[in-house]
Amino acid sequence: MAQYLTIQEIAEKTGKSQKTVRRHIAAKKLAASRIQNKWRILPEDYKRWIESGDCDEDNDRETFAIMGSTVSMAYKDNVNWVDVEEECTKDKFNGWKHKNARNGYNFVDLFSGAGGLSCGLTMAGFTPVASVEIMPEAVETYKYNFVEQKGFKEDVETRDIRSEEVKQALYDSIGDKHIHLLVGGFPCQGFSLAGNRVVTDERNSLYLEMLKIVDHIKPEYIVMENVEGLRSMLNGRIEEKIISDYKKIGYEINVTVLNSADYGVAQTRRRVIFIGNRIGGTNYHPKPFMEEYKTLGEEIQRFMDLPEDKSINHIFSRHTEEMKKKIMAVPEGMSLYGNYSDAWKKSPWDKPSCTVKENHGGVNLHPKLPRVLTPRELAALQSFPDDFIFKGSKKWQLVQIGNAVPPLLGRAIGVAVQKALIEKEV
């Protein structure tokens, strides 16, 4: 019989309050089971919670800020897990490296940013046909990597998805190509409550624009990515609205939260992933396959002795001698500035990195060297290939990297969707 831990025992082990432990169970950070009306936690789930960094609320402030002190947020997801380990770990299946690994399925990426999700889907074998992004620097990066370096035939320009002209240009660029998958991570700030209805306000209609485009293109499958905090926005009404709106245009949706570290990314990064289809297929989510998480040290070791090289985004920040001493004195897992524990943080060498965030300066300290991590090292922690080059100034490189979906997470999602398409003989 399994030996379980109680909430009280975990509180004593970690120095956290029982209320805090309950919040982590409610947020699905800490896996637990209800046994005789009491929460019980397996030792291996406790170990994963500690080693993944999910026990640190600073790694996901969005979720805990929105949750407040509520402990009734446990998700009841209906998830169809599918094994993706072989396709995600063997080099011969990598469509980013090998043209013969491409599967013949096409996709469109809305809100593409620099192309993290697109890169991952390309690894999974999909072919990018079109993308939409409004940040000029990100568009420059996307065009360089996907069009100039990989030779994909895409019309990549800076464009605002809210414009009818832009939507028409998107449709024209797709032409008669069959789109099997459409993906996008829409901003969610524009949701609000009016009376008893969830509405999108005038500040942000991007969610509805994506809905319109999906309804027009009608791909077999869709994938939507967002911050985990979306799930608890307006007491779950936002998630309900998304599922309902897509059902109205013919898509059945399944949703759950995925942690990038479970798919080979050397970083704790949790995102809510909606997967839907209109063909009566199964919405598969990729089954986690990492038994031991990849660590920050394993990922950035190769850059330890590498001199500055701006051509590959390995750009050093200039620190005074006094600042270098301060950086070296910061213990692993701590921050240079006590009041800002999620900034200037030194993630441990032998654990996954904390979440790489959008930033304009040095947020992540190197565990062993007297400097902050370079854009190249941060891109590696996001799981970008070393040949993926970011354009723009260092400031905008950091923004693009922090905003991106980790490619290895995208690869796992892509493999899951591919298996569903094959199953339906598409």
Side-chain angles (χ1 to χ4, degrees):
M1 185 175 180
Q3 296 297 311
Y4 291 96
L5 296 170
T6 66
I7 287 177
Q8 181 178 348
E9 287 170 335
I10 287 180
E12 291 171 354
K13 281 175 173 286
T14 60
K16 299 179 184 293
S17 69
Q18 292 188 42
K19 183 176 181 180
T20 297
V21 176
R22 290 180 185 278
R23 277 158 43 85
H24 282 253
I25 292 171
K28 300 296 283 185
K29 302 288 188 181
L30 174 60
S33 302
R34 276 281 193 183
I35 299 176
Q36 295 180 340
N37 207 32
K38 293 183 179 180
W39 288 114
R40 293 291 182 262
I41 301 94
L42 286 169
E44 54 264 37
D45 289 327
Y46 168 74
K47 180 182 177 184
R48 177 179 285 267
W49 179 61
I50 294 294
E51 293 182 350
S52 70
D54 280 347
C55 59
D56 184 356
E57 293 191 8
D58 286 328
N59 287 338
D60 187 11
R61 288 197 166 188
E62 297 107 330
T63 293
F64 290 104
I66 292 169
M67 283 184 65
S69 60
T70 181
V71 295
S72 60
M73 283 300 302
Y75 310 136
K76 297 179 180 179
D77 299 338
N78 179 20
V79 186
N80 304 300
W81 297 110
V82 66
D83 185 4
V84 299
E85 182 175 5
E86 183 177 18
E87 294 88 347
C88 287
T89 56
K90 291 191 175 178
D91 186 74
K92 68 179 181 179
F93 295 113
N94 189 336
W96 182 260
K97 290 184 178 181
H98 309 296
K99 289 184 179 180
N100 61 2
R102 293 175 188 163
N103 58 25
Y105 295 127
N106 298 325
F107 76 92
V108 170
D109 190 351
L110 307 181
F111 318 108
S112 63
L117 184 51
S118 284
C119 180
L121 292 174
T122 303
M123 288 177 177
F126 286 77
T127 298
V129 169
S131 61
V132 178
E133 173 56 40
I134 197 170
M135 182 192 296
E137 294 81 5
V139 172
E140 188 182 356
T141 294
Y142 195 104
K143 183 182 295 185
Y144 175 80
N145 289 284
F146 290 89
V147 179
E148 296 179 27
Q149 296 301 305
K150 295 299 178 182
F152 290 113
K153 306 300 181 185
E154 279 194 79
D155 177 23
V156 181
E157 302 293 340
T158 305
R159 41 196 177 187
D160 186 340
I161 199 172
R162 293 170 292 188
S163 162
E164 291 303 317
E165 290 79 8
V166 164
K167 284 197 277 290
Q168 189 57 52
L170 173 67
Y171 304 147
D172 291 343
S173 69
I174 292 170
D176 59 359
K177 298 184 185 72
H178 188 101
I179 304 303
H180 304 89
L181 171 64
L182 186 145
V183 302
F186 57 87
C188 56
Q189 301 96 313
F191 286 104
S192 60
L193 276 176
N196 293 318
R197 293 189 307 118
V198 175
V199 298
T200 54
D201 63 35
E202 292 300 320
R203 293 173 301 152
N204 190 345
S205 62
L206 295 174
Y207 163 73
L208 292 177
E209 302 298 350
M210 181 174 177
L211 190 68
K212 290 178 190 174
I213 292 171
V214 169
D215 196 25
H216 181 93
I217 295 176
K218 291 182 168 58
E220 277 85 357
Y221 272 80
I222 56 171
V223 171
M224 293 175 284
E225 173 268 346
N226 224 296
V227 296
E228 186 179 5
L230 176 143
R231 305 204 72 176
S232 49
M233 286 181 64
L234 305 183
N235 294 318
R237 299 284 296 282
I238 301 304
E239 183 174 313
E240 292 174 5
K241 176 176 173 58
I242 292 169
I243 293 171
S244 173
D245 285 350
Y246 276 89
K247 190 177 183 66
K248 289 175 183 176
I249 64 170
Y251 288 83
E252 294 293 331
I253 301 283
N254 290 79
V255 57
T256 196
V257 173
L258 303 181
N259 183 353
S260 299
D262 286 324
Y263 306 97
V265 182
Q267 176 196 170
T268 298
R269 192 183 190 94
R270 293 167 63 91
R271 288 296 184 269
V272 58
I273 304 296
F274 296 82
I275 298 180
N277 81 92
R278 62 172 183 81
I279 58 174
T282 303
N283 296 321
Y284 287 123
H285 280 82
K287 183 180 178 182
F289 58 78
M290 292 295 291
E291 293 184 8
E292 296 289 337
Y293 285 150
K294 191 171 188 179
T295 68
L296 178 150
E298 289 177 274
E299 190 61 78
I300 69 170
Q301 173 70 46
R302 63 187 181 278
F303 304 112
M304 281 289 289
D305 300 318
L306 186 68
E308 184 174 51
D309 187 347
K310 293 184 179 180
S311 70
I312 62 167
N313 309 124
H314 193 50
I315 306 170
F316 294 161
S317 296
R318 306 297 174 225
H319 303 301
T320 65
E321 290 303 316
E322 181 182 2
M323 176 59 80
K324 290 179 182 179
K325 291 178 182 177
K326 288 182 178 179
I327 290 174
M328 290 301 289
V330 175
E332 290 188 6
M334 301 299 289
S335 169
L336 180 64
Y337 302 108
N339 293 332
Y340 300 94
S341 58
D342 60 344
W344 294 86
K345 188 170 183 177
K346 182 180 287 188
S347 290
W349 182 263
D350 60 355
K351 292 183 180 180
S353 168
C354 64
T355 300
V356 174
K357 299 179 180 179
E358 173 190 342
N359 66 84
H360 300 276
V363 167
N364 300 75
L365 301 181
H366 198 292
K368 295 185 179 297
L369 298 176
R371 61 172 175 80
V372 298
L373 296 178
T374 68
R376 184 76 267 154
E377 289 166 328
L378 291 169
L381 293 178
Q382 280 277 58
S383 73
F384 277 96
D386 287 348
D387 65 350
F388 195 104
I389 303 301
F390 294 85
K391 296 297 183 175
S393 66
K394 180 184 177 184
K395 162 187 168 180
W396 290 111
Q397 291 172 24
L398 293 171
V399 170
Q400 293 170 63
I401 293 166
N403 279 338
V405 176
L408 288 187
L409 174 61
R411 181 180 184 176
I413 293 168
V415 170
V417 173
Q418 173 186 275
K419 285 176 178 282
L421 287 165
I422 292 172
E423 191 175 271
K424 289 297 290 185
E425 300 183 346
V426 176

